[in-house]
Amino acid sequence: MASYLLGISCYYHDSAAVLLEDGIVVGAVQEERFTRKKHDASFPARSISYLLRERGVTLREVRAVVYYEKPFLTFERLIETHLEASPFGLRSFLASMPTWMKEKLFLERLLKRELAQLGAGPVPELKFSEHHLSHASSAFFPSPFADAAVLCADGVGEWATTSAWRGQGADLTPLWEIHFPHSLGLFYSTLTAYLGFKVNSGEYKVMGLAPYGKPRFADRMLENLLQLNSDGSFALNLRYFAFTKELQMFSPALEDLFGRRARRPEELLEPFHMDVAASLQLVLERALIPLARELRRQTSATRLCLAGGVALNCVANSKLLLESGFEDLWIQPSAGDAGGALGAALAYYHLAEKGERRVCHGDAQKGSYLGPSFKAVEIESFLRKNNVPFQKLTQEDMLSETSRYLDEGKIIGWFQGRMEFGPRALGHRSILADARGAELQKTLNLKIKFRESFRPFAPVVLAEDAPEIFEFDRPSPYMLFVAAVRPELRVPLAPADRTKFGIDQLNVVRSTYPAITHVDYSARLQTVSRDRNPILAQLLEVYRQRTQSSVLVNTSFNVRGEPIVCTPEDAYRCFRRTEIDVLVLENFIVTKESLPPSNQSEDWRSEFELD
Amino acid sequence: MSLSWIRFRNRHLLTINFSLAAALVLYGIRRDFAWHLLLVVWLLLALRFERMAKFQQLLLVRVGRINSTLILTLFYFLFFAPYGLLYRCFFRKPAFQQRASTFEEKRKIGSFDRPF
Ligand SMILES: [Fe+2]
């Protein structure tokens, strides 16, 4: 009989649940996908219910539930931080203590109560994994490596903000940690807040903003904010950071250092902000590379695994690949705390229960397609119930129709198979478009995603064609690396375009694929192969036959502030509210032209808080 | 637990508890029943009208918040901050101190059986 373990992460941000069957991940999903509340931190009741239902098991059959961190250690860190800040940290003390005293200190009881509400019968045993152990396990155990070094970097877990491990077979050994308050994640988040973006979601925007600027503040940051030690470790200068004693991330000293007050949300982005972003990105890379090199020296491992929120920085990942001395790199696609649920369950399975590990070719993450899927009969019944005119096609015809629409410059809402686990849409809940269109980036940003227009879109390309288009020699199935567009595909800039500055550079055509080429010729690459994502690979093949190109724009199927769509209903709603031209739900096609004009007012936009 | 008891508890228990506590406090302060009639009216209204019960709940949450803020503030300045002085002298976490390296060696992982 199969044995089941459940991993959960919740109560901070991005709650999630993961189900293991005999140590193999069979399902993983974030709670926000069901509740439609971005970064939802509540107990993942709906995720757990879905996972059990999908596998046809009850909670009674689950051997243990593993929580992704140790709440008492986090509380210890909180108390010591307040002691360190006293007597100047009253506001922060008052803000954090009531929730701890009411709920988080009694987390074990709270979790058991929540689990009890999910089904009849006894609640499974509750286990706790350390936060960074959860990250490290999520990076190593699903990786394709039998032996690797593991580096985790995030904001903060219990005490650790950065940790190093050695993974061998089914074992994972800790080596060292760097403790709070010294944190690369919090360093990046603090500057993200200074630049007027939201902490925990705006970091990705800052990374997208960086190529517009010049890193002229990098030295100033290294002299004042982040000290890089000769042994590879680092330390923050707390004079500029307020998160240890205030309810905000930075102190007034940071504004003095740059001679500018912080940017307010939605305020105009100026070259100054771009230069700060560029400097921040460079400093992050300068801090990460020595850490990885030190780890390489200590372990002599040739492979590196990464996890923790910092590992979502694909620009830094690519630099690590080039400069850290490791030959290969695998990054957990759900590198943030949602992935902690996966790591917690895997850690318990391999380290506590001594379950064996089979190293998979490719990896054991299954393309990260681990969430809900919908049968044709469910989709058809939804469409009929809502009187939506649709075409029901064979898969071959659906692919050829979609490819035709893409070639005509139409924007496609693409909904196939199991939903992605992790923050990126990897071609199962994606908006797809032709990458050759010069105006497409603007249209997609403003009419479909309703967001700032400086952010680049990611290309999705057939793995076998990728080396001809990008300077990158390996698969990138999880969109966690950037690669430069090959020089022969770049377009020489007109003299007038060369002098453009800041956001004005956005509309300059730089390559034969302008929609995916960032101002520094980089692209956040996703490669697709038939074994991991057969349906998208087939679409790209059909599209290539038609256009001689297998590159498409791939962006997540949602609007700004909304979680990625989960159900056919979510997808249809998003399709109706935006200027997406065609909706493809498995083999069903709905076109905007066939629908009456939408009578929805724009009030729905207030439904989602801007990220 | 029967459903009717759960319903009764969710809907009315706070109202009854609040009225009993207020009656005792009022008697303790004034040593008479002059204001208790008003309390009975309040009780009847809160039992009868859900909006009134909701208002009462919000009021109590606010009072509770003010109370906990006061208590926590007193605790912070009278006990916590003085202990903070001791902490910084004798028990300070190395991570809060200036050092040439911030690496902390880690040899083993904690048990999965406990939340610490
Ligand atoms: Fe984390």
Side-chain angles (χ1 to χ4, degrees), chain A residues 297-316:
Chain A
R297 191 190 63 75
Q298 283 174 1
T299 60
S300 307
T302 54
R303 274 90 182 254
L304 176 66
C305 299
L306 290 181
V310 176
L312 290 171
N313 191 307
C314 32
V315 181

Side-chain angles (χ1 to χ4, degrees), chain A residues 142-408:
Chain A
S143 80
F145 309 142
D147 183 340
V150 183
L151 182 64
C152 304
D154 64 357
V156 60
E158 294 99 1
W159 275 105
T161 66
T162 312
S163 63
W165 308 72
R166 177 71 187 264
Q168 286 169 304
D171 200 18
L172 193 58
T173 319
L175 299 171
W176 47 257
E177 291 179 337
I178 292 176
H179 284 181
F180 181 86
H182 308 298
S183 160
L184 291 178
L186 291 174
F187 168 66
Y188 208 91
S189 294
T190 302
L191 273 296
T192 296
Y194 175 75
L195 290 173
F197 298 105
K198 258 192 183 170
V199 171
N200 285 333
S201 65
E203 287 81 357
Y204 214 60
K205 297 182 189 178
V206 173
M207 188 186 78
L209 188 66
Y212 289 101
K214 294 188 174 57
R216 63 186 171 105
F217 298 114
D219 288 340
R220 202 181 298 181
M221 287 183 185
L222 287 168
E223 277 157 27
N224 297 280
L225 303 179
L226 184 77
Q227 171 195 319
L228 299 184
N229 300 324
S230 56
D231 62 353
S233 67
F234 61 86
L236 294 187
N237 181 352
L238 293 181
R239 198 165 95 75
Y240 298 94
F241 299 87
F243 55 76
T244 55
K245 51 181 160 214
E246 301 274 339
L247 295 174
Q248 67 168 57
M249 297 298 288
F250 55 86
S251 73
L254 188 77
E255 294 177 304
D256 296 341
L257 180 71
F258 291 119
R260 286 275 297 255
R261 69 160 176 78
R263 174 180 170 262
R264 300 206 173 95
E266 309 302 314
E267 233 173 44
L268 187 74
L269 280 163
E270 295 172 32
F272 166 79
H273 303 116
M274 296 163 193
D275 293 347
V276 172
S279 312
L280 172 62
Q281 184 61 35
L282 185 69
V283 170
L284 174 76
E285 291 158 12
R286 284 208 193 151
L288 278 172
I289 290 165
L291 281 173
R293 281 192 186 146
E294 175 60 14
L295 188 54
R296 166 95 177 93
R297 191 190 63 75
Q298 283 174 1
T299 60
S300 307
T302 54
R303 274 90 182 254
L304 176 66
C305 299
L306 290 181
V310 176
L312 290 171
N313 191 307
C314 32
V315 181
N317 294 344
S318 295
K319 289 272 167 65
L320 278 173
L321 188 58
L322 288 174
E323 295 177 31
S324 65
F326 286 97
E327 287 164 20
D328 209 352
L329 185 52
W330 192 86
I331 304 151
Q332 165 55 239
S334 185
D337 281 0
L342 172 62
L346 285 171
Y348 184 73
Y349 179 76
H350 292 297
L351 304 178
E353 298 196 323
K354 304 288 174 208
E356 71 173 67
R357 173 176 178 237
R358 282 181 296 270
V359 179
C360 297
H361 170 71
D363 60 49
Q365 186 81 13
K366 301 180 176 172
S368 224
Y369 305 118
L370 297 164
S373 64
F374 296 84
K375 296 190 188 88
V377 50
E378 292 173 285
I379 295 171
E380 187 166 351
S381 116
F382 164 76
L383 294 171
R384 287 197 190 286
K385 213 170 93 187
N386 291 281
N387 298 317
V388 180
F390 62 87
Q391 286 175 276
K392 185 180 179 181
L393 304 173
T394 61
Q395 191 176 86
E396 202 180 322
D397 289 346
M398 177 278 284
L399 292 171
S400 130
E401 275 293 278
T402 308
S403 159
R404 179 176 67 81
Y405 283 127
L406 285 164
D407 191 24
E408 287 170 5

Side-chain angles (χ1 to χ4, degrees), chain B:
Chain B
M1 248 185 299
S2 77
L3 200 62
S4 54
W5 161 244
I6 292 173
R7 266 194 209 134
F8 176 81
R9 187 189 64 183
N10 290 349
R11 171 78 175 78
H12 297 305
L13 201 64
L14 182 78
T15 304
I16 295 166
N17 281 344
F18 170 66
S19 299
L20 283 174
L24 283 172
V25 170
L26 270 178
Y27 185 77
I29 295 169
R30 296 181 50 92
R31 300 273 158 199
D32 66 21
F33 294 97
W35 289 84
H36 283 67
L37 188 65
L38 210 64
L39 209 58
V40 172
V41 175
W42 178 286
L43 172 71
L44 291 173
L45 285 174
L47 287 174
R48 174 74 184 82
F49 299 106
E50 197 158 349
R51 278 180 67 176
M52 185 77 181
K54 274 256 143 45
F55 169 74
Q56 176 184 268
Q57 197 180 358
L58 284 177
L59 193 78
L60 288 178
V61 166
R62 183 150 296 181
V63 170
R65 218 170 265 162
I66 292 168
N67 267 348
S68 73
T69 305
L70 273 174
I71 293 166
L72 279 173
T73 307
L74 282 175
F75 171 76
Y76 186 81
F77 286 114
L78 291 180
F79 299 101
F80 196 82
Y83 179 67
L85 270 175
L86 275 180
Y87 169 81
R88 286 198 297 278
C89 291
F90 302 110
F91 314 110
R92 199 175 191 198
K93 184 93 181 161
F96 288 119
Q97 296 164 22
Q98 277 278 347
R99 289 172 307 159
S101 171
T102 47
F103 284 138
E104 317 260 349
E105 202 177 324
K106 187 171 165 88
R107 292 226 169 268
K108 58 183 177 54
I109 55 165
S111 157
F112 287 90
D113 292 328
R114 37 171 218 259
F116 52 89

